[in-house]
Amino acid sequence: DALLRVQDQERLLKDSLLRGRPILAICSGSWMLWQGYLQQLTLDKCNVWLHKDPKTCLPEDFLSHGLVDAPGHNNRRGMPTFGIDGEVIFDEGIHGLAFSKLNPADTRGLVRHFLESELPVMVNSVHWKAVDPDSVPPAAQPWLCIAARSSGGDDATNGLVEAFETTHGAPVVGIQWHLEAAAMAGNERANALMRFMKLAGVAFASK
């Protein structure tokens, strides 16, 4: 059931954050990662992570805390799916990405390093929420950074957070679009980022 899945994901993320594991969180997983940081930073009791009784864990809690609406981004007809023989269906580029400076020195983060190209970067888009950058306490902003925002659409769809990452410790990246679908479809830049995160996980497990 959906609630048990969410609770299992919460436990995995909590354990990974406490142990300093590398994390690549995709789609709604990036929401949960963001919420996990907010819970650590603010001890906000509205956070769904603090619910112990499943009867009090309401969907609206999960779908509101630290998130904003994402109008024009829920392209259900373009939901990436995988066929029997492994081909990717509907990995359609719906909007572009604008990569962000992680700090005034313009340090190149992982997302920008692996995905930026001379050509416009287009990504699939099937989400109805996005993380709210204004929900991060100012003290955390130097190390919990927005890496990319949506671009190439109209005013209502531009500027939403599409990726964030940390600048200290093990690599931790939250990505809104389905990076794994792009990788399966042969996108070498997406493949490179996923390989890097896999190797980071292997290195951590070998410590």
Side-chain angles (χ1 to χ4, degrees):
D1 114 335
L3 178 56
L4 289 176
R5 185 184 71 178
V6 168
Q7 290 173 331
D8 285 341
Q9 290 173 332
E10 288 174 357
R11 283 191 288 270
L12 287 171
L13 277 172
K14 275 185 179 179
D15 185 68
S16 295
L17 290 174
L18 288 172
R19 295 176 183 271
R21 285 193 179 101
I23 300 173
L24 174 60
I26 294 175
C27 196
S28 62
S30 69
W31 304 349
M32 297 182 71
L33 176 60
W34 186 263
Q35 291 172 328
Y37 275 122
L38 295 188
Q39 193 273 321
Q40 287 187 337
L41 294 166
T42 66
L43 298 181
D44 190 330
K45 293 183 179 179
C46 292
N47 194 297
V48 70
W49 282 36
L50 296 181
H51 285 283
K52 303 300 182 184
D53 182 355
K55 294 179 181 178
T56 66
C57 185
L58 302 177
E60 54 264 33
D61 293 327
F62 172 67
L63 293 177
S64 62
H65 183 69
L67 306 177
V68 295
D69 290 333
H73 282 252
N74 188 15
N75 183 46
R76 281 294 178 186
R77 293 183 63 185
M79 179 67 187
T81 57
F82 301 98
I84 295 176
D85 57 356
E87 84 278 13
V88 179
I89 306 168
F90 293 138
D91 176 39
E92 298 180 9
I94 304 302
H95 63 72
L97 290 181
F99 297 96
S100 306
K101 295 181 178 181
L102 296 190
N103 52 44
D106 194 18
T107 302
R108 290 175 67 89
L110 291 174
V111 172
R112 184 178 174 189
H113 174 77
F114 282 106
L115 300 181
E116 190 174 37
S117 169
E118 294 181 357
L119 300 175
V121 178
M122 303 296 291
V123 296
N124 54 60
S125 184
V126 290
H127 57 102
W128 60 98
K129 292 283 185 179
V131 303
D132 179 7
D134 294 331
S135 60
V136 178
Q141 290 174 7
W143 59 266
L144 182 57
C145 303
I146 305 306
R149 295 175 182 266
S150 57
S151 69
D154 55 30
D155 290 342
T157 60
N158 283 342
L160 289 173
V161 175
E162 289 288 331
F164 62 90
E165 61 185 272
T166 56
T167 58
H168 294 77
V172 176
V173 180
I175 289 183
Q176 183 61 77
W177 70 96
H178 282 270
L179 181 73
E180 80 286 0
M184 289 284 289
N187 184 308
E188 282 305 312
R189 293 181 180 275
N191 269 314
L193 177 53
M194 294 191 71
R195 281 197 300 268
F196 176 88
M197 294 302 297
K198 175 184 175 181
L199 291 173
V202 171
F204 179 89
S206 301
K207 289 183 2 178

